[in-house]
Amino acid sequence: MQIKNLSKYSNAEKIVLAEQLWDSVSKNDLEISDEVKRELDIRIQNLEEGKTELYSWEEVKAHLKSLR
């Protein structure tokens, strides 16, 4: 599938289009493998048990800038 001439639309119109596309995808139609589900469950459990280190967006940006 190819969407042509997106450049003729304003940013606001593109955002509305993106929202409409996102809303058209049913959560029930999304397929997630059992392996991914297990990994997500592990990550949630680690978060709930305080075993996960969290970073603010500012910390992440600073780290990425330091890598340059």
Side-chain angles (χ1 to χ4, degrees):
M1 180 175 96
Q2 183 178 8
I3 300 174
K4 298 180 181 180
N5 300 322
L6 280 178
S7 60
K8 71 179 183 179
Y9 297 103
S10 70
N11 286 339
E13 290 170 318
K14 291 176 190 176
I15 290 170
V16 169
L17 175 61
E19 289 173 343
Q20 290 174 347
L21 285 170
W22 183 255
D23 291 343
S24 73
V25 177
S26 169
K27 292 178 185 173
N28 296 328
D29 293 339
L30 297 177
E31 294 183 24
I32 300 174
S33 70
D34 289 339
E35 181 180 356
V36 170
K37 287 178 187 176
R38 280 191 298 276
E39 179 62 28
L40 291 173
D41 287 340
I42 290 168
R43 291 180 185 205
I44 289 170
Q45 182 177 354
N46 287 341
L47 181 63
E48 290 172 345
E49 294 175 359
K51 297 178 181 176
T52 300
E53 195 167 346
L54 302 175
Y55 301 94
S56 71
W57 178 234
E58 292 304 317
E59 291 171 315
V60 171
K61 287 193 297 187
H63 176 71
L64 291 173
K65 286 181 182 178
S66 75
L67 297 176
R68 292 183 184 175

